[in-house]
């Protein structure tokens, strides 16, 4: 087992992050109140067809967490517990939005514990205002022309417009200023 890093406690926050939402960011911030560093680890899953490539997702997260050295981003493939062990993390951080998340998360946590009992899973709840937010729904709403402002960081909204070739609407503040 690798020793805990000299740079303090590290929690790995794994996921697809396709794309990152404000709910994920809420979990990162809560995680930082318990751990010195939170590393968002993007699963490289060759079977899934994500909207954003792994490189794009890394770049988006980097841009979102710019200026906070306690937030890290990385990619991994294979078993999550092996990755956590390799980077010296003792904790896997996951968000639970609702009871419906719990069953799958509980199953994963117990399987991960069986695979490596030295690594603990810590669940955190995002703010209630994000309890219905998921990457899948954000993409669906965006594709159907719905508003996603406030559900994702502005960089995600910009990247979604670029991906679908839709015009980026002027920021509300700019519009208000012009009206005066
Ligand atoms: O954001 P997601 O898609 O809910 O994240 C799921 C993720 C990446 C946490 C999960 O699929 C995972 O850990 N995959 C790595 C493979 C692994 O370790 N599988 C056994 C764990 S039960």
């Amino acid at each position: 087992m690798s020793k805990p890093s000299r740079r303090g406690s590290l929690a790995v926050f794994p996921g697809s992050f396709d794309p990152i939402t404000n709910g994920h960011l809420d979990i990162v911030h809560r995680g930082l109140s318990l751990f010195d560093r939170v590393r968002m680890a993007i699963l490289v899953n060759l079977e899934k067809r994500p909207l954003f490539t792994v490189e794009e997702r890394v770049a988006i997260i980097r841009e979102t967490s710019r200026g906070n050295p306690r937030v890290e981003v990385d990619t991994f493939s294979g078993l999550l517990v092996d990755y956590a062990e390799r980077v010296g993390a003792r904790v896997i951080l996951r968000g639970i939005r609702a009871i419906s998340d719990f069953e799958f998360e509980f199953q994963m946590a117990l399987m991960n514990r069986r695979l490596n009992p030295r690594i603990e899973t810590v669940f955190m709840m995002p703010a209630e205002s994000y309890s219905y937010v998921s990457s899948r729904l954000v993409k669906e709403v965006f594709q159907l022309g719905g508003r996603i402002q406030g559900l994702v960081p502005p960089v995600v909204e910009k990247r979604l417009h670029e991906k679908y070739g839709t015009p980026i609407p002027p920021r509300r503040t700019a519009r208000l200023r012009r009206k005066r």
Side-chain angles (χ1 to χ4, degrees):
M1 166 96 183
S2 47
K3 288 199 183 101
S5 158
R6 281 204 197 100
R7 292 170 58 209
S9 57
L10 170 67
V12 167
F13 179 19
S16 306
F17 305 116
D18 183 38
I20 185 173
T21 67
N22 285 346
H24 292 130
L25 286 177
D26 184 284
I27 296 297
V28 169
H29 291 126
R30 285 172 202 280
L32 288 176
S33 68
L34 296 181
F35 308 103
D36 296 309
R37 292 180 292 140
V38 170
R39 180 179 298 200
M40 303 186 73
I42 304 170
L43 173 69
V44 180
N45 187 345
L46 300 175
E47 279 165 24
K48 266 194 183 175
R49 292 193 56 220
L51 177 63
F52 291 101
T53 64
V54 169
E55 293 75 20
E56 286 170 329
R57 282 176 275 161
V58 168
I60 290 171
I61 293 174
R62 284 226 171 96
E63 199 169 330
T64 310
S65 60
R66 207 171 34 199
N68 191 343
R70 295 173 61 206
V71 180
E72 303 169 0
V73 57
D74 198 5
T75 61
F76 77 102
S77 53
L79 283 178
L80 173 60
V81 286
D82 291 348
Y83 171 78
E85 178 103 11
R86 207 163 50 240
V87 299
R90 293 269 167 85
V91 168
I92 292 168
L93 178 65
R94 289 285 286 174
I96 295 222
R97 292 162 298 189
I99 293 292
S100 49
D101 282 340
F102 187 74
E103 201 172 336
F104 175 61
E105 294 296 334
F106 189 61
Q107 211 177 5
M108 271 206 307
L110 291 181
M111 180 59 84
N112 283 331
R113 180 188 281 167
R114 184 176 191 276
L115 292 168
N116 187 337
R118 292 177 297 272
I119 294 173
E120 287 293 341
T121 298
V122 170
F123 295 125
M124 296 191 92
M125 292 166 291
E128 298 97 275
S129 48
Y130 298 129
S131 58
Y132 59 91
V133 180
S134 70
S135 302
R136 187 185 63 76
L137 271 189
V138 162
K139 285 182 282 194
E140 187 175 315
V141 169
F142 183 87
Q143 280 166 22
L144 298 173
R147 242 181 100 243
I148 54 161
Q149 204 181 21
L151 304 181
V152 291
V155 57
V156 168
E157 226 181 313
K158 184 171 146 266
R159 294 277 190 144
L160 281 167
H161 280 290
E162 286 167 2
K163 184 80 48 194
Y164 289 102
T166 50
I168 300 171
R171 308 267 341 141
R172 201 171 137 67
T173 46
R175 231 181 296 146
L176 290 176
R177 234 180 278 129
R178 241 180 286 125
K179 270 189 184 164
R180 276 190 207 139

